[in-house]
Amino acid sequence: MPRTRLSGRTRVLAVTVAAAALGATCYGAGVAGAHDSVPRSDKQIPNLTDVVSEIKAYYGDTVDASGEHFPSATGNYAKQVAGIEAKATAYLEREVRHEGHGHGGHAAKPAIVLDVDDTSVNTYNYELEVGFNYTPATNSAYIANKNMQAVFGMQTLTNWAADHGITVFWITGRPEAQRADTVRNLAAVGYEPAADTDHLYLKNAANPPAYLPCGATCTTIEYKSGTRKHIESLGYNIVANFGDQYSDLTGGYADKTFKLPNPMYFLP
């Protein structure tokens, strides 16, 4: 977040419809992808109500006493996330054992990078609350007043990495104005590594950092890969990069990438 590249956030229903109707299979780990073609018939477009129902079924929609919606810990989303995390944990365990992190000729300090929304914390309740119609105003109000749940198991994986000498960084498209709320939320749901100024990177449109040549006009890929490049210039080797969008993971400066599922929206 924020989703500003395609006239605001790319709406989940429109993107899912295009992908499902025309066979655009950018779903690998459960993400919807945009497609350039235009449906020639209404029969190529799935019913919007059905799409939302399928998303809710995938997450195992659970409603608490206050009426808020959360994914089920036993649903298919949680199971898919657990499978990805098991592979990531096994990989990080090998990295920890391998030559004191000197694996692959890297003498740099090992690090991992995580996106925030739908990688570290889950936006599912917010998405349903606004009918998948993201706006900066509703998103800021939600983040300021509520804590999003941790993505199942990600705080455990992240804390394990930190406990084993791997430095944790977050790179998010959230604006700099949401720094305090982001730090609060991460701590509240069990992320123990400090998401301080040195370890949490947010978009700063007013004063973009000098290490990003694209400045305030960076695409998601330019911003995230450029920030990873900066982290590595500080003496770190990013052994793993976690994100729910392919744009979180593209552009290099990470030994391995792990794609978390997110069928709710697409960010180029």
Side-chain angles (χ1 to χ4, degrees):
M1 290 185 194
R3 284 94 188 181
T4 55
R5 252 60 66 196
L6 295 180
S7 302
R9 184 180 195 160
T10 304
R11 292 287 301 278
V12 58
L13 300 183
V15 173
T16 305
V17 164
L22 297 170
T25 53
C26 191
Y27 288 95
V31 66
H35 200 283
D36 294 332
S37 300
V38 177
R40 290 186 289 259
S41 165
D42 64 305
K43 294 180 178 63
Q44 293 178 300
I45 305 173
N47 182 276
L48 299 187
T49 302
D50 291 344
V51 172
V52 173
S53 295
E54 289 181 1
I55 290 171
K56 292 173 77 172
Y58 165 68
Y59 278 94
D61 185 58
T62 303
V63 185
D64 67 12
S66 67
E68 297 201 336
H69 294 253
F70 300 99
S72 168
T74 59
N76 288 336
Y77 167 73
K79 292 175 183 177
Q80 188 176 1
V81 168
I84 295 164
E85 289 169 347
K87 293 178 182 177
T89 299
Y91 165 74
L92 291 176
E93 287 174 345
R94 291 194 298 271
E95 288 294 304
V96 167
R97 290 194 305 267
H98 230 39
E99 301 177 23
H101 303 299
H103 180 48
H106 292 295
K109 298 171 287 186
I112 60 173
V113 166
L114 298 93
D115 174 49
V116 172
D117 291 303
D118 295 298
T119 300
S120 300
V121 297
N122 197 289
T123 70
Y124 179 72
N125 185 62
Y126 165 74
E127 297 292 346
L128 287 179
E129 192 171 287
V130 300
F132 299 101
N133 185 24
Y134 168 93
T135 67
T138 60
N139 183 252
S140 293
Y142 190 99
I143 289 171
N145 292 286
K146 296 181 181 180
N147 286 324
M148 295 177 179
Q149 285 190 335
V151 169
F152 293 119
M154 280 304 292
Q155 74 275 54
T156 301
L157 183 155
T158 301
N159 294 346
W160 182 93
D163 289 342
H164 287 79
I166 300 175
T167 303
V168 179
F169 292 93
W170 282 272
I171 305 175
T172 175
R174 289 185 178 190
E176 180 63 35
Q178 292 179 356
R179 177 176 293 277
D181 292 325
T182 302
V183 170
R184 182 206 72 234
N185 194 161
L186 291 171
V189 297
Y191 288 92
E192 295 175 0
D196 56 20
T197 302
D198 292 333
H199 298 88
L200 172 62
Y201 292 86
L202 299 94
K203 271 202 165 181
N204 192 332
N207 295 291
Y211 58 76
L212 291 176
C214 46
T217 66
C218 289
T219 64
T220 300
I221 292 173
E222 289 171 335
Y223 161 62
K224 295 214 167 186
S225 64
T227 305
R228 292 194 301 274
K229 180 180 180 181
H230 168 69
I231 290 171
E232 292 206 335
S233 77
L234 299 177
Y236 293 93
N237 174 51
I238 298 171
V239 297
N241 180 24
F242 296 83
D244 65 289
Q245 302 290 317
Y246 291 107
S247 53
D248 295 330
L249 307 174
T250 304
Y253 304 102
D255 293 350
K256 193 170 182 65
T257 62
F258 292 92
K259 171 73 174 60
L260 278 294
N262 181 1
M264 297 187 292
Y265 54 86
F266 170 79
L267 282 173

